[in-house]
Amino acid sequence: MSTRRGVVAAAALATVLGSLTLPGSASATPAPSTRHVQKVGTGSYKVTGTGTGEPASINTELPRDAGPEANELTRSTARRPAGAHRSLAGARSAGPAGPATSGGVIRNGPQLLHSFDGLNQRDQRTANNGNQFTIEPPDQALCVGNGHVVEAVNDAFRVFNADGTGQTGVVDLNTFYGYPPVLDRTTGIYGPELTDPTCLFDPATHQFFLVVLTLESTRDGDLTGANHLDIAVAADPTGTWNIYRLDVTDDGTSGTPVHPNCPCIGDYPHIGVDANGFYITTNEYAFFGTEYNSAQIYAFSKRALARGDADVLVTQLDTTGADRGRNGFTVWPAQSPVTSDYERAAGGTEYFLSSNAAEEATGTGDYVSDSIVTWALTGTRSLDSASPRLGLSNTRVGVRQYSLPPAANQKPGPAPLLECLNDDPCATFLLGAPDPFKPEVLAALDSNDTRMQQVTYTGGRLYGALDTAVSVGGATKAGIGWYIVRPGLRGDSVRADLTAQGQLGLAGNNLTYPAIGVNAAGRGVMAFTLVGDGYFPSAAYAAFDGRTGAGTIYLAKAGLGPQDGFTGYKALVGDPPRPRWGDYGATAVDGSNIWIASEYIGQTCTLAQYEATPFGSCNGTRTALANWGTRISLIKP
């Protein structure tokens, strides 16, 4: 990589396209702006050694501020973005729950073609000679094409064959993107922190796109406030990727606009494509405060990125006030399984879905809504020109009420980290003193908030899902709300009709972090984690039809034990703990079949086994402080 550090987006082009007034908006949204972004080098898989995963010091595994806001064991300093994943933080009460369809679970359903373990916590912690941190959650990314199955997590990357064998080994994301280690455990020098990986394969350009959010730090581990999106593009994921770097601080740095409360963090990036463009959306929070601004949309020419142009244009659109005066939140761009699905009207159009129940959108904390939002970005063919001219519009779609889901209870089982913290000699060995919060308990898992999850556009319909409280089996549980929307255009403005919707739950259990994949024939699956009275965290999915929605629930792989990671215990993250799960799942269409990615727990061991093997590894199946795994499965709808 020719440029290893710093932000290298060029100065602004100063192309201002004029203010846009959205249907139903209280006022005009901020004007779009276009600027240059430069290619900063290349990245690729590199062979690195494997470390032991030994937690030599809790101080280099846990930040001093690892409270409910913390999503990773990464920093020994207190300068962390206070607003990141703000809507997920802390204890909240579940919202009102509507009735849900209760599906029965079928094991080893005939639709499951292949299923194998992806990356796990031990893989990522021991990568790059062990110069990594213990991290929760994995935030699993998945993209598939040209015979390659690509998975990225916080903070590692690997390419698989369809049968689960490796085309590459495991490489940490810092090495892949050309950065120094997040912590060099020999010198004690910190590098940048990479998070929130997301990827897709574009069927038109036959390119893979992999995006991460990078937070810059000092050598001592203080986060500086500088952060950027690193965009990697390649035809062969086992070869060389071109890397572009987009500054998202929005404080005037590197040609960015000047927004309130900034420097800001470009949190929760997600990506999509249409016939002309490649799109990234973020949630913009103050980096060192709690303020939320709005969702940001970044639009590129996907052909310029696919060619590897040294200099490309990006147009940024701000959704402040766009939803009838509410700010956009998690405005998720659509991706399509085949090129014939792209919307070519209005000079090319990219669609998005979002929800509007979260505090970031409403300004209140009730997390209840009876509408979702359909967005259209028109004029995308102009992204190939020197002066992109884009229009953004949205409309609300009435749906059944959805609300904040409760935390997902876990089936009890062997949890050696929990048991260690409750055993004074073991806790003293791990922490340096007995656990002051003893007795620790097995905590319920975070069930997301009400934000939209992965969006697919095919056959003239948009498919999306979100987490919601549902009433099933006489109790309020975490479940899924799913939606099928038919969008259209009147001139440059979007209209949308709801063609089907539903809420899915399972009595006594929880369904979390849905992702819908639908093929060109309108048949698909909805992937999610299943956890509750009857199941350890498991990789599951439901049959999904383009007309009738979700059906029977299948198990791709049953979990073997409870989640037993550091974010669930007061001694390690403070009171109250917030047991982190994945912030999103993923699906990828491969011809008529669909790949799904799910976090689950693929190991189990006792306290005796934990104490008998080096560094709590349980015979190499976990690390001392976490035990998450991922599962990758191929489904024939």
Side-chain angles (χ1 to χ4, degrees):
M1 189 167 173
S2 59
T3 304
R4 295 173 57 205
R5 298 184 64 89
V7 180
V8 274
L13 180 64
T15 301
V16 178
L17 304 180
S19 183
L20 298 174
T21 302
L22 305 184
S25 294
S27 60
T29 59
S33 61
T34 300
R35 64 186 188 267
H36 289 278
V37 173
Q38 295 176 337
K39 183 168 67 175
V40 299
T42 60
S44 63
Y45 169 74
K46 298 178 179 66
V47 177
T48 57
T50 300
T52 65
E54 176 186 4
S57 168
I58 284 292
N59 291 331
T60 60
E61 297 288 336
L62 289 159
R64 287 202 296 264
D65 65 336
E69 292 279 355
N71 67 330
E72 298 169 355
L73 287 178
T74 53
R75 299 291 166 184
S76 61
T77 65
R79 298 203 71 198
R80 296 189 57 79
H85 300 296
R86 179 184 173 210
S87 69
L88 293 175
R92 297 183 184 274
S93 299
T101 299
S102 182
V105 175
I106 297 177
R107 297 176 184 271
N108 302 317
Q111 296 170 307
L112 184 63
L113 300 180
H114 300 293
S115 187
F116 57 87
D117 282 346
L119 296 167
N120 61 37
Q121 157 59 17
R122 186 165 185 82
D123 290 332
Q124 83 82 26
R125 174 60 180 83
T126 59
N128 195 14
N129 299 298
N131 292 315
Q132 295 273 91
F133 289 99
T134 297
I135 295 176
E136 288 185 333
D139 289 351
Q140 187 179 16
L142 178 75
C143 47
V144 179
N146 293 344
H148 307 288
V149 180
V150 178
E151 183 187 25
V153 297
N154 289 328
D155 273 327
F157 166 90
R158 194 176 192 191
V159 183
F160 296 92
N161 291 303
D163 63 1
T165 57
Q167 295 182 4
T168 69
V170 179
V171 63
D172 64 295
L173 290 180
N174 282 55
T175 296
F176 175 83
Y177 279 95
Y179 293 112
V182 65
L183 173 61
D184 187 316
R185 293 182 177 275
T186 300
T187 65
I189 296 174
Y190 287 81
E193 175 185 337
L194 279 62
T195 188
D196 284 354
T198 181
C199 71
L200 65 77
F201 175 76
D202 175 42
T205 61
H206 298 281
Q207 300 285 313
F208 289 86
F209 293 82
L210 175 64
V211 175
V212 295
L213 172 63
T214 299
L215 311 179
E216 292 289 344
S217 74
T218 68
R219 290 163 58 93
D220 295 327
D222 285 332
L223 296 180
T224 66
N227 66 112
H228 41 86
L229 298 174
D230 286 356
I231 305 159
V233 186
D236 179 358
T238 66
T240 299
W241 299 62
N242 291 317
I243 296 178
Y244 298 83
R245 193 164 296 157
L246 173 66
D247 190 299
V248 290
T249 52
D250 283 352
D251 60 354
T253 301
S254 300
T256 63
V258 178
H259 288 176
N261 312 307
C262 292
C264 289
I265 181 171
D267 190 42
Y268 207 66
H270 287 287
I271 58 181
V273 290
D274 73 344
N276 309 295
F278 170 71
Y279 308 96
I280 309 175
T281 62
T282 65
N283 292 328
E284 184 172 281
Y285 297 87
F287 198 97
F288 295 118
T290 59
E291 299 86 0
Y292 175 72
N293 286 340
S294 64
Q296 305 296 307
I297 300 173
Y298 300 94
F300 299 79
S301 163
K302 72 177 182 182
R303 281 176 279 272
L305 293 171
R307 289 192 304 262
D309 289 1
D311 185 282
V312 301
L313 296 178
V314 61
T315 299
Q316 179 176 351
L317 301 99
D318 184 349
T319 67
T320 297
D323 174 24
R324 301 184 186 179
R326 292 182 177 184
N327 298 330
F329 177 63
T330 311
V331 179
W332 200 302
Q335 54 183 285
S336 299
V338 292
T339 59
S340 59
D341 278 328
Y342 296 141
E343 175 65 86
R344 301 180 190 274
T349 298
E350 167 71 359
Y351 291 116
F352 309 72
L353 287 177
S354 68
S355 62
N356 56 11
E359 181 180 352
E360 286 84 344
T362 65
T364 66
D366 56 6
Y367 283 81
V368 176
S369 181
D370 58 5
S371 67
I372 59 174
V373 187
T374 301
W375 305 72
L377 185 66
T378 56
T380 64
R381 194 159 53 238
S382 70
L383 290 168
D384 286 322
S385 73
S387 300
R389 299 191 63 84
L390 305 175
L392 181 65
S393 63
N394 70 53
T395 187
R396 289 187 183 179
V397 178
V399 299
R400 182 186 304 171
Q401 180 176 279
Y402 59 94
S403 61
L404 189 73
N409 67 293
Q410 297 195 74
K411 176 182 176 180
L417 175 57
L418 166 67
E419 294 164 29
C420 176
L421 293 172
N422 286 333
D423 176 76
D424 286 350
C426 187
T428 301
F429 178 80
L430 188 66
L431 304 175
D435 182 353
F437 297 99
K438 176 185 175 182
E440 302 274 8
V441 298
L442 189 67
L445 299 179
D446 186 278
S447 299
N448 205 358
D449 54 12
T450 54
R451 68 185 74 193
M452 189 63 66
Q453 298 291 282
Q454 182 174 322
V455 176
T456 297
Y457 178 66
T458 184
R461 293 178 174 88
L462 286 165
Y463 299 84
L466 50 76
D467 294 275
T468 182
V470 296
S471 179
V472 60
T476 297
K477 308 297 288 187
I480 294 167
W482 57 263
Y483 311 99
I484 305 175
V485 175
R486 183 183 291 278
L489 297 166
R490 292 190 182 99
D492 290 337
S493 296
V494 67
R495 58 179 175 77
D497 298 310
L498 183 72
T499 65
Q501 66 172 319
Q503 293 187 354
L504 183 66
L506 181 65
N509 294 279
N510 305 275
L511 313 179
T512 65
Y513 297 97
I516 297 175
V518 181
N519 63 24
R523 298 183 62 82
V525 296
M526 181 166 68
F528 44 84
T529 292
L530 166 62
V531 59
D533 294 347
Y535 299 91
F536 298 121
S538 301
Y541 63 97
F544 197 93
D545 183 88
R547 290 171 295 180
T548 59
T552 304
I553 295 173
Y554 294 86
L555 272 176
K557 181 67 174 179
L560 300 180
Q563 191 261 17
D564 182 42
F566 69 92
T567 55
Y569 304 124
K570 298 175 185 179
L572 299 172
V573 295
D575 189 12
R578 177 189 161 205
R580 294 301 304 276
W581 199 240
D583 283 338
Y584 42 86
T587 65
V589 178
D590 187 15
S592 61
N593 296 326
I594 297 171
W595 290 90
I596 65 172
S598 304
E599 182 180 353
Y600 89 122
I601 300 299
Q603 67 83 233
T604 184
C605 70
T606 65
L607 177 61
Q609 292 169 319
Y610 179 88
E611 292 180 318
T613 53
F615 320 125
S617 72
C618 290
N619 295 314
T621 63
R622 60 167 294 160
T623 59
L625 300 179
N627 70 327
W628 57 259
T630 64
R631 191 76 178 180
I632 300 172
S633 304
L634 179 63
I635 312 297
K636 181 179 181 179

